[in-house]
Amino acid sequence: MGGVPGRWLPAAYEASGVRAVRVALVSAAGFYLFLYGFGSSVAATYALFSAVALAGLSRIPGTGPQRAATVLRLVPVCWLLVVVGTFLSVRTWSAVAGMLVIGFALTFAAVGGPRPAGAGPGLQLLYILPSFPPYDPDSLGLRLIGTTAGLALLVLAERYLFPEPAAPSYRELAARAADTAALCARELAGPQHALSSAAARRAREDSAALRPLNVPEADRPAGPGVRDRALTHTGLAARALLGRLAALAGPPDGAGDVLHGVSRLAERTAGELRPQPATGAGSGDAYEDLVAARARLAAAPARPAAPTVLRRDAAVLEVADVALTLDTAAALAVRGRAAADRVQPGRFWYARTPAPLLWWHRIQGHAGRRSVFFQNAVRIALALAAARLVAGLDTLPHGFWAMLATLSLTRTTVGDTWSTIRVALAGTFAGALFTAVVLTLVGPHTAVYAVLLPAWMLFAFTVGPVKGVGWAQGLFTVLVAMVFAQLASATWKLAGVRMLDVLIGSLIGGVFGLLAWPRGAHDELGRAAAGLLRRAAEIVVATSAAVAAGGTGADAASGRGYRSLRHALIMAESAFAQYQSEPMRFGAAAPRPSGPDWQAALMAGHHTLWGSDRLTTPPEGAPPAAAPALGPEPAEGLSGLGDRVAGRMLLVSAHLDPGGDTPPVPAPLRDPAYRGFAAEPPGAPRRYYAAVSWLDSLMTDLERVTAPEGEAG
């Protein structure tokens, strides 16, 4: 179907209106088919709540076809949850134990990326549902039939009803950035030796488009596998390449071959990232041609009388290194381990690691109290187990509602939890009053509820997500009353039961939210990124000193500093994936507010590691040779620059993870009066300018971290 029903609604209600139509159609179709067509209240209940769980309570990101594919993959998981929940519910203690284990596992599964994170609440509901009376394992067949029918209808609705325009995938965004990089390199190597205003604008726009803040949740590469990790690095490298090219200036002279090589390789990278990648001999030729051109430029005789040329050559070598990194990352993102033979030593540690080990690494990295995934899993598991225990021991009427309240009202911070509970209780109270009036007026006439239910579902799922959790809880209170009134006779007392259950579930969620040291993913990412920059600052100082003093540096990569920086990078990338995977709050219609450019912080870490390795390690295939020490003036200047950049890294790290008296980051980070980066000490060799170019690029990364949203290119 091509028409979108939300077009006649106000703009704020369009998305929720389309979603509400799908949920209402699927839920009502399954419910009425089994209840009035086949006379099975069990199958009808499971058909309705399966659709509500994965389309109403869950926030699975993506377009309709993407969500349909996700739901289809989750069907076996849903069957397993219904089976296990049915058999464990026979005894209270087994139901509580199952709730504890399953609740933790389903919440912790968010380490797998935005899709499992978004589906988690709905999967929890499909386990909670069979955990309550009637305890009837003999009805398992009907439960599975209803669940399957509800999910099948949902898959069809997501796939074919009201298709949305698909946003460009992250691979396509990276391909566009690579195309723009190729254009920029061509212009810099051309007669004007400068970027046109159109190319500069495209570079800024394509770089900003790769920031996860501007990418739909479903398309963010946050999974633990090789391809997702490599696609993340592809985005990092593409942004870095555009930034390096935009900063180049001056005629290329001997660097023209390198820029032409960058252009050809970037074009090939863009082609590889698209659905039908270009393969064959030309693929390897472009890469090898750039490697050869870079080697020729790096080995060119030093020209002490032309420091401007040396400075520009060093910047061009930085560009070539990033272009090679981009191509390797893109190859890994497209072909996975089949492209691992192209990986340079010390880079892309995950390229040859088996998938189970990568999953284990992700799980192990979050199996601790500092992980927000772990915090959320513990909080939800304990709260649901406690709610199930209270419902079992006190024979709480409709205890299912108490657990649903616990699940839907617990937030990632205790402040959010308690503020949400206050609003939700007010909404539930209003909904309970309205429910009591409806049940009193309508009485046992189920035909009236059958007519009202689809319209009310449409209204509830359209208005609730936009108006907030108070409206959502109030409208849902009326909705479940209309459902249960058709399954069994109901009086106005049902409204009071609903109010009591929500109150108990909310209190349990709030208490366990307080006890489980809740913090948001933002804070954990800030801590990890700050730690990364502190480790990077150590490497910057050590590398600057090593270049100034000379020597081989052949064993630097095995030193403790490199290992610490690599570990900090891995932890920061895990925290970044966690931040991207954290689903939007229930009822949130707007994206997260802009903040630090976290991707730029990761870029700074990678550039520190890779640049240090390039400056202190002989080129691949070259024999180890001791580099001469710099002269007194270049050595002093380079050491001072290294100390200055390291100090700025520490200042930005404090900004990302501030304390009570953290000093503000100076604006701008670069002191206009400081001329250290532009200094041309007499007799400075090519190695000096290579190190200065590296430090200058790190300063650019730091400026991006703290730049306002509109200025971060």
Side-chain angles (χ1 to χ4, degrees):
M1 295 180 63
V4 179
R7 294 288 166 79
W8 54 272
L9 291 170
Y13 293 91
E14 282 189 12
S16 63
V18 173
R19 187 176 178 215
V21 171
R22 293 196 190 100
V23 178
L25 285 176
V26 171
S27 303
F31 185 69
Y32 291 152
L33 173 66
F34 287 107
L35 183 62
Y36 297 109
F38 297 106
S40 174
S41 61
V42 174
T45 301
Y46 279 78
L48 183 144
F49 279 104
S50 295
V52 170
L54 291 183
L57 185 60
S58 293
R59 294 193 63 86
I60 300 175
T63 61
Q66 289 174 324
R67 292 192 298 269
T70 301
V71 173
L72 193 59
R73 286 192 292 267
L74 290 174
V75 169
V77 179
C78 296
W79 289 340
L80 179 63
L81 293 174
V82 172
V83 171
V84 174
T86 296
F87 284 104
L88 291 183
S89 65
V90 178
R91 298 284 185 274
T92 296
W93 69 266
S94 61
V96 171
M99 195 73 259
L100 188 66
V101 175
I102 300 295
F104 179 88
L106 290 177
T107 309
F108 194 65
V111 298
R115 287 190 177 93
L123 295 177
Q124 297 276 17
L125 177 57
L126 285 177
Y127 179 77
I128 292 171
L129 187 60
S131 294
F132 286 94
Y135 302 132
D136 184 13
D138 293 336
S139 67
L140 179 59
L142 290 173
R143 294 180 177 188
L144 291 175
I145 289 173
T147 300
T148 305
L151 295 177
L153 290 172
L154 178 59
V155 168
L156 293 174
E158 293 283 16
R159 180 65 181 84
Y160 296 109
L161 285 183
F162 320 121
E164 311 117 312
S169 67
Y170 200 79
R171 272 177 58 173
E172 175 58 28
L173 293 175
R176 292 178 184 178
D179 278 333
T180 301
L183 170 65
C184 292
R186 281 197 305 272
E187 290 192 356
L188 289 168
Q192 301 299 321
H193 309 311
L195 294 183
S196 64
S197 58
R201 184 178 64 255
R202 275 184 59 180
R204 289 192 299 271
E205 292 173 351
D206 289 346
S207 178
L210 286 168
R211 286 191 66 179
L213 183 71
N214 302 320
V215 178
E217 287 178 274
D219 293 316
R220 296 173 190 166
V226 170
R227 295 173 190 267
D228 267 13
R229 292 179 188 269
L231 192 53
T232 296
H233 284 166
T234 301
L236 292 174
R239 292 190 65 198
L241 181 57
L242 291 173
R244 300 293 188 270
L245 288 167
L248 278 180
D253 294 338
D257 288 346
V258 176
L259 289 175
H260 284 300
V262 168
S263 177
R264 288 191 295 270
L265 185 61
E267 285 180 348
R268 196 205 64 76
T269 302
E272 184 162 31
L273 285 166
R274 293 195 165 101
Q276 296 181 341
T279 57
S283 168
D285 289 347
Y287 187 92
E288 297 302 329
D289 288 349
L290 181 55
V291 170
R294 182 186 63 169
R296 288 194 299 271
L297 181 61
R303 287 165 285 184
T308 303
V309 174
L310 293 177
R311 186 187 306 280
R312 196 226 33 250
D313 286 354
V316 170
L317 289 174
E318 283 272 337
V319 167
D321 190 63
V322 177
L324 293 169
T325 299
L326 170 61
D327 186 71
T328 303
L332 287 170
V334 174
R335 292 184 275 130
R337 291 179 188 81
D341 58 320
R342 296 175 47 186
V343 174
Q344 298 166 273
R347 303 190 181 189
F348 307 105
W349 61 270
Y350 51 83
R352 296 179 177 86
T353 305
L357 287 181
L358 290 176
W359 271 94
W360 173 249
H361 185 89
R362 174 65 63 85
I363 292 171
Q364 187 181 44
H366 289 289
R369 69 184 305 270
R370 297 291 293 274
S371 166
V372 176
F373 287 143
F374 185 81
Q375 294 172 14
N376 289 343
V378 169
R379 180 187 307 111
I380 292 294
L382 290 175
L384 291 178
R388 182 63 185 87
L389 179 63
V390 170
L393 295 182
D394 291 347
T395 61
L396 188 68
H398 292 283
F400 163 77
W401 290 349
M403 295 189 69
L404 183 58
T406 300
L407 177 65
S408 60
L409 299 181
T410 304
R411 294 293 185 263
T412 57
T413 65
V414 69
D416 282 350
T417 297
W418 284 113
S419 63
T420 299
I421 286 173
R422 289 194 297 269
V423 175
L425 288 177
T428 303
F429 180 71
L433 290 178
F434 186 79
T435 298
V437 173
V438 171
L439 292 175
T440 301
L441 294 176
V442 177
H445 303 293
T446 57
V448 177
Y449 301 119
V451 172
L452 291 177
L453 179 60
W456 192 264
M457 290 179 70
L458 185 62
F459 178 64
F461 287 114
T462 299
V463 175
V466 177
K467 287 292 190 178
V469 70
W471 277 79
Q473 285 293 321
L475 295 171
F476 194 71
T477 296
V478 181
L479 189 153
V480 294
M482 291 183 178
V483 171
F484 282 98
Q486 296 179 67
L487 298 173
S489 60
T491 67
W492 64 270
K493 295 180 180 179
L494 183 65
V497 171
R498 164 73 177 168
M499 186 68 204
L500 174 64
D501 287 338
V502 171
L503 176 61
I504 292 175
S506 301
L507 291 176
I508 291 173
V511 169
F512 281 97
L514 177 63
L515 295 179
W517 19 262
R519 296 179 66 88
H522 178 280
D523 291 342
E524 189 59 37
L525 177 55
R527 186 183 298 112
L532 170 63
L533 291 181
R534 287 193 291 269
R535 299 288 83 75
E538 297 171 3
I539 295 296
V540 165
V541 172
T543 301
S544 301
V547 173
T552 63
D555 297 326
S558 62
R560 181 178 178 275
Y562 275 22
R563 289 196 300 272
S564 297
L565 179 55
R566 287 195 181 99
H567 177 73
L569 260 172
I570 292 170
M571 295 309 296
E573 287 174 346
S574 294
F576 184 59
Q578 164 182 304
Y579 179 69
Q580 295 185 90
S581 299
E582 190 174 52
M584 294 173 64
R585 297 176 184 173
F586 182 82
R592 293 187 183 97
S594 61
D597 189 341
W598 302 111
Q599 203 175 36
L602 296 180
M603 288 162 60
H606 281 289
H607 296 156
T608 300
L609 181 64
W610 296 348
S612 175
D613 181 66
R614 186 176 67 251
L615 289 168
T616 59
T617 304
E620 187 176 354
L630 301 181
E633 191 172 343
E636 182 180 358
L638 182 60
S639 297
L641 276 177
D643 292 344
R644 189 176 189 86
V645 173
R648 289 298 191 261
M649 283 184 165
L650 295 177
L651 195 58
V652 174
S653 75
H655 170 71
L656 298 180
D657 186 26
D661 55 352
T662 300
V665 174
L669 277 172
R670 295 178 191 261
D671 183 355
Y674 181 70
R675 307 300 298 169
F677 289 101
E680 299 176 353
R686 185 179 295 277
R687 198 162 179 242
Y688 166 84
Y689 287 102
V692 171
S693 178
W694 170 62
L695 294 172
D696 187 60
S697 69
L698 292 178
M699 282 294 292
T700 300
D701 292 336
L702 295 178
E703 289 174 318
R704 284 181 170 175
V705 174
T706 57
E709 167 70 10
E711 300 175 18

